[in-house]
Amino acid sequence: MADDKIRNMEEFARMSGISRPTVSKYFNDPASVRASTRTRIEAALEQYDYRPNIYAMNQNRKLTKNVGVVVPLLSDPYFAEIARNLEQRCIAAGYRPTLFSSHGDPAFEVEVLETLRSLKPAGVLLAPLGRASDRKALEKFCEDVPTLIFDSSVDEIGLAFVGSDNFQFTAHITDYLCRTGEPPCFFEMKTPANPNAHRRRQSYLNAMEEFGHSPDVISVEGEGWGFEEIGRLGGHEVLDQGRFSTNTILCSNDRLAIGLLTACYEKNIRVGRGDDCAIRVAGQDGHPHSRYTCPPLTTISHNYDAVSQTAAEALFTAIEGQVSPWKSTRLEGKLILRDSA
Amino acid sequence: MADDKIRNMEEFARMSGISRPTVSKYFNDPASVRASTRTRIEAALEQYDYRPNIYAMNQNRKLTKNVGVVVPLLSDPYFAEIARNLEQRCIAAGYRPTLFSSHGDPAFEVEVLETLRSLKPAGVLLAPLGRASDRKALEKFCEDVPTLIFDSSVDEIGLAFVGSDNFQFTAHITDYLCRTGEPPCFFEMKTPANPNAHRRRQSYLNAMEEFGHSPDVISVEGEGWGFEEIGRLGGHEVLDQGRFSTNTILCSNDRLAIGLLTACYEKNIRVGRGDDCAIRVAGQDGHPHSRYTCPPLTTISHNYDAVSQTAAEALFTAIEGQVSPWKSTRLEGKLILRDSA
DNA sequence: ATGTAAATTTTACGCGCGTAAAGTTATTCG
DNA sequence: CGAATAACTTTACGCGCGTAAAATTTACAT
């Protein structure tokens, strides 16, 4: 490997004895050049291991291969997992994903979108912060860049929406809980940071009414994204005050449930469906960690694969020219029965 | 807001009645232009809300403000947390972090580095995959780009290394376990994917010898990054076969410990330090989730803040011209006593 | 051998901006 | 008020590549 440091495509083209435009064409699509040319380029590639500058490539391209992936908060394992899933799909489809976290901050979310404009992405997979999002900024962005909204919908913006059917989620698990024991009360944050919380509360209320039970929503204090700790502290308070009206608690999400389970542990309250257990606790999300709580958490899980596949494919077909009207796809969750409820 | 869509700096400069180079200078450092000019630019900014294209900016700049942050796997909450921490510090220091995950794959790690070259970063904060990493590729990258290695060291490459002192980690918690009960055996993966595993095993062996106990390393099967499940399945197997020679188990990392705790739960084995408990389990890392296991996990925690602060600052001073010889900084962990051991 | 289509090269320009040099205007100071 | 010094503008070029059009070469069939 005679590594005389190739600096740009010009130099590489000279070294391989082929014109730069043809080399450019090769990198754009190796099959678009004559076989003999391809061989020569690939031989030179072995010798000088040159790679085009991706950001310079995209500068003057009609359609880039960039795809932006934006999630509200990467340190939440749920978003980390779905982001990883989406990234893999982008790569598999020949796109270049770039991952961004909004860090739970609406202002930063707008910042991320501005950065994304500079990237000139062919498309964007965006999980907005939800209620906290700057609607107008999102809308404007969606007008300029093909954007698919996932996880949490904001009006009817973008190409389409793909997410879980939160109404089905909560209705389904509420139904399960009602059929197998006392009807649940609903444990949530008073001012939830995560996007789908309101939908789930509403769905709980609807379901309880439909099943002929009186609902009981318990909202605990707490700011930010430290849901486990909010669930734990809130759990202690509510348990101390005996505010749970039933022995069955449906949490707005798994992280809250995990905190509540810890509070129960600390209070020596047995959780589960056995006769020796005092309460049942269920979550919602299918959080990667829900399998490893004690007791393992009964939850209704997002269909991670289906959501990310549907979202990614919808974006790709839109990028590739298919025009279709705005559509909302809400996928059903799957009840995961474990020991906690 | 007369939004006649400004397309580039040229147009914006024309609209604000100022030359493009001066506008460019303004965006580079607002204080570098006359106050009256600044006012005019900022007035125009209000009207047309234009933003320079970041990637075009960096194309021909001597020193960019880009900083790459690379971690082995973003869906591991430990890395997610430290990455978030680093990102915030970069932003606070006026840099533009771009986050990358190696997806646990050495080939992809190299891919990420190639992408990073195109970004022309002023510096990179790199947590390598470790043993699995392509040493030569890393080395080459570090020669070209100012790179600070963190979390897991690979030879003496890059500007410096900042991480936790795994020897101190394991020695410290081993010492604690010895002083408070039976000496621990060591629970690990046979072929660990994470980088610091070997150091920790070695440190366990050293510590046990020093304390005059005979060590016992138990390595369980399992591939990949699903540590909890590996810990759970391995735990079942080892418990079934009665292969734990003592009642105290030190796990190579918290995620493994979380899985082992689940196995114990499933086997109805009480974990903790009470008289009614059969075994003690301890982890290592201070994983965000370790607080919420049942029982809460005793562990030795990375000093997240100190590691990320030291790493970030070391990189920034290097970027800003300070030349200093390669140095390895290993920060001590803090023992977090909880109920599991 | 000849014609034709495909591939390639040449040439030229563009993307959105940084940056250096030289000339012009504005500000400051004695 | 004139000179010195900033600050600014103009001009010109560069970064690393895409892309379009015209000219040339190559491949393949007849």
Side-chain angles (χ1 to χ4, degrees):
Chain A
M1 196 154 23
D3 247 300
D4 303 296
K5 287 291 171 198
I6 303 293
R7 306 194 158 279
N8 52 39
M9 196 181 279
E10 189 80 51
E11 273 186 40
F12 176 76
R14 204 173 22 235
M15 301 310 290
S16 57
I18 292 178
S19 75
R20 190 182 63 75
T22 303
V23 172
S24 168
K25 215 176 161 205
Y26 167 84
F27 280 111
N28 217 327
D29 174 15
S32 71
V33 302
R34 205 187 300 150
S36 64
T37 317
R38 186 163 59 241
T39 312
R40 288 170 65 194
I41 293 180
E42 273 154 9
L45 228 39
E46 298 268 316
Q47 261 190 59
Y48 299 101
D49 83 308
Y50 154 80
R51 301 215 3 181
N53 182 307
I54 301 155
Y55 299 97
M57 273 179 48
N58 291 330
Q59 185 116 23
N60 191 26
R61 206 173 219 170
K62 311 293 266 183
L63 199 58
T64 72
K65 283 291 188 180
N66 288 336
V67 170
V69 179
V70 187
V71 295
L73 192 73
L74 258 179
S75 48
D76 185 322
Y78 161 63
F79 288 118
E81 176 56 25
I82 203 161
R84 195 193 52 76
N85 205 318
L86 286 172
E87 279 196 86
Q88 305 284 30
R89 286 180 198 282
C90 289
I91 294 169
Y95 292 95
R96 307 194 99 269
T98 306
L99 183 57
F100 296 90
S101 166
S102 302
H103 296 305
D105 177 0
F108 200 82
E109 184 175 59
V110 175
E111 198 66 26
V112 165
L113 295 185
E114 291 301 329
T115 302
L116 264 172
R117 281 177 194 273
S118 295
L119 237 192
K120 303 193 175 182
V124 170
L125 293 159
L126 169 62
L129 282 167
R131 308 214 131 204
S133 288
D134 180 339
R135 309 284 253 251
K136 271 177 57 184
L138 292 198
E139 208 164 325
K140 217 164 180 182
F141 181 80
C142 289
E143 283 170 18
D144 300 338
V145 182
T147 303
L148 190 136
I149 309 290
F150 72 97
D151 184 65
S152 152
S153 76
V154 172
D155 306 327
E156 293 200 359
I157 62 176
L159 300 167
F161 170 78
V162 177
S164 286
D165 183 346
N166 288 286
F167 279 94
Q168 180 265 343
F169 259 50
T170 313
H172 189 25
I173 197 164
T174 302
D175 173 56
Y176 162 76
L177 292 172
C178 288
R179 282 189 294 99
T180 53
E182 293 184 21
C185 56
F186 191 78
F187 186 69
E188 64 160 18
M189 287 170 68
K190 193 168 289 173
T191 51
N194 57 331
N196 289 314
H198 293 85
R199 237 188 211 86
R200 289 178 180 176
R201 191 211 357 245
Q202 191 54 52
S203 170
Y204 164 76
L205 294 173
N206 294 356
M208 289 295 274
E209 186 176 6
E210 186 182 328
F211 300 151
H213 302 300
S214 57
D216 178 20
V217 173
I218 293 161
S219 305
V220 297
E221 298 288 342
E223 293 286 319
W225 287 81
F227 300 167
E228 290 88 358
E229 194 58 15
I230 290 169
R232 189 181 73 86
L233 295 176
H236 270 293
E237 203 180 312
V238 173
L239 288 167
D240 283 341
Q241 301 173 354
R243 276 165 57 203
F244 285 131
S245 54
T246 90
N247 75 357
T248 302
I249 301 155
L250 173 60
C251 299
S252 178
N253 63 65
D254 282 351
R255 295 181 59 193
L256 225 44
I258 287 169
L260 179 57
L261 287 181
T262 299
C264 290
Y265 173 85
E266 288 166 355
K267 284 211 165 345
N268 240 311
I269 297 172
R270 275 191 88 99
V271 177
R273 33 185 174 166
D275 290 332
D276 53 340
C277 296
I279 65 174
R280 300 189 298 164
V281 172
Q284 301 183 64
D285 275 340
H287 190 284
H289 213 91
S290 61
R291 169 68 185 84
Y292 301 99
T293 57
C294 301
L297 186 63
T298 289
T299 186
I300 178 139
S301 174
H302 295 276
N303 192 337
Y304 287 83
D305 272 356
V307 168
S308 69
Q309 180 178 345
T310 309
E313 283 183 359
L315 180 66
F316 300 155
T317 60
I319 288 175
E320 284 151 19
Q322 285 279 349
V323 278
S324 35
W326 190 91
K327 191 172 98 178
S328 169
T329 307
R330 291 192 173 271
L331 298 167
E332 294 201 350
K334 205 176 141 197
L335 194 58
I336 300 186
L337 293 185
R338 291 198 277 242
D339 288 350
S340 79
Chain B
M1 193 148 33
D3 248 301
D4 303 297
K5 288 291 173 196
I6 303 292
R7 307 197 158 275
N8 53 36
M9 196 181 279
E10 189 81 50
E11 272 187 39
F12 175 75
R14 204 171 24 232
M15 300 311 289
S16 58
I18 292 177
S19 74
R20 190 181 64 74
T22 304
V23 172
S24 168
K25 214 176 161 203
Y26 167 85
F27 280 112
N28 217 329
D29 175 14
S32 71
V33 303
R34 203 188 299 152
S36 64
T37 318
R38 185 163 57 242
T39 313
R40 288 171 64 194
I41 293 180
E42 272 154 10
L45 227 38
E46 298 269 317
Q47 262 191 57
Y48 301 101
D49 85 309
Y50 154 80
R51 300 206 16 172
N53 182 308
I54 301 155
Y55 299 97
M57 274 178 46
N58 292 331
Q59 183 115 25
N60 192 25
R61 208 173 217 168
K62 311 293 266 183
L63 198 58
T64 74
K65 284 289 187 181
N66 288 336
V67 169
V69 178
V70 187
V71 294
L73 192 73
L74 258 179
S75 48
D76 185 322
Y78 161 64
F79 288 118
E81 177 56 24
I82 202 159
R84 195 193 54 76
N85 205 318
L86 287 172
E87 278 197 88
Q88 306 284 28
R89 284 179 200 283
C90 289
I91 293 169
Y95 292 94
R96 309 194 98 270
T98 305
L99 183 57
F100 296 89
S101 166
S102 302
H103 297 303
D105 176 0
F108 200 83
E109 184 175 59
V110 175
E111 198 66 25
V112 164
L113 296 184
E114 292 300 330
T115 302
L116 265 171
R117 281 176 194 273
S118 295
L119 238 193
K120 303 193 175 183
V124 170
L125 293 159
L126 169 63
L129 282 168
R131 308 214 131 204
S133 288
D134 180 340
R135 308 287 253 249
K136 272 177 57 184
L138 293 198
E139 208 164 326
K140 218 166 183 181
F141 181 80
C142 290
E143 282 170 20
D144 301 338
V145 182
T147 303
L148 190 134
I149 308 290
F150 71 97
D151 184 67
S152 152
S153 76
V154 172
D155 305 328
E156 293 199 0
I157 63 174
L159 299 167
F161 169 78
V162 176
S164 286
D165 184 344
N166 289 286
F167 279 94
Q168 179 265 342
F169 259 51
T170 312
H172 190 25
I173 197 164
T174 302
D175 173 56
Y176 162 76
L177 293 172
C178 288
R179 282 187 296 97
T180 54
E182 292 185 22
C185 57
F186 192 79
F187 185 69
E188 63 160 21
M189 286 169 69
K190 194 166 288 171
T191 51
N194 58 329
N196 289 314
H198 292 84
R199 239 188 211 86
R200 290 179 179 174
R201 191 210 358 242
Q202 190 54 50
S203 171
Y204 163 77
L205 295 173
N206 295 354
M208 289 295 274
E209 185 175 8
E210 186 182 330
F211 301 149
H213 302 299
S214 58
D216 179 20
V217 172
I218 294 159
S219 305
V220 297
E221 300 288 344
E223 294 285 321
W225 287 80
F227 299 168
E228 291 88 358
E229 194 58 15
I230 291 168
R232 188 180 75 86
L233 295 177
H236 270 293
E237 201 180 316
V238 174
L239 288 167
D240 283 341
Q241 302 171 353
R243 276 165 57 203
F244 285 131
S245 53
T246 90
N247 74 359
T248 303
I249 301 152
L250 173 58
C251 299
S252 178
N253 63 65
D254 282 353
R255 295 181 61 192
L256 225 44
I258 288 169
L260 178 57
L261 286 181
T262 298
C264 290
Y265 173 85
E266 289 167 353
K267 283 213 166 344
N268 240 312
I269 298 172
R270 273 190 91 98
V271 177
R273 29 184 179 169
D275 290 332
D276 53 341
C277 297
I279 66 172
R280 300 189 298 163
V281 172
Q284 301 184 65
D285 275 339
H287 191 283
H289 212 93
S290 61
R291 169 68 186 84
Y292 301 100
T293 56
C294 300
L297 186 63
T298 289
T299 185
I300 180 141
S301 175
H302 296 276
N303 192 337
Y304 287 82
D305 272 355
V307 168
S308 69
Q309 181 179 345
T310 309
E313 283 182 0
L315 180 65
F316 299 156
T317 60
I319 289 174
E320 283 150 21
Q322 285 279 348
V323 277
S324 36
W326 189 92
K327 191 173 96 178
S328 167
T329 308
R330 291 193 173 269
L331 298 166
E332 294 200 350
K334 205 176 139 197
L335 195 59
I336 299 186
L337 294 185
R338 291 198 278 242
D339 289 349
S340 77

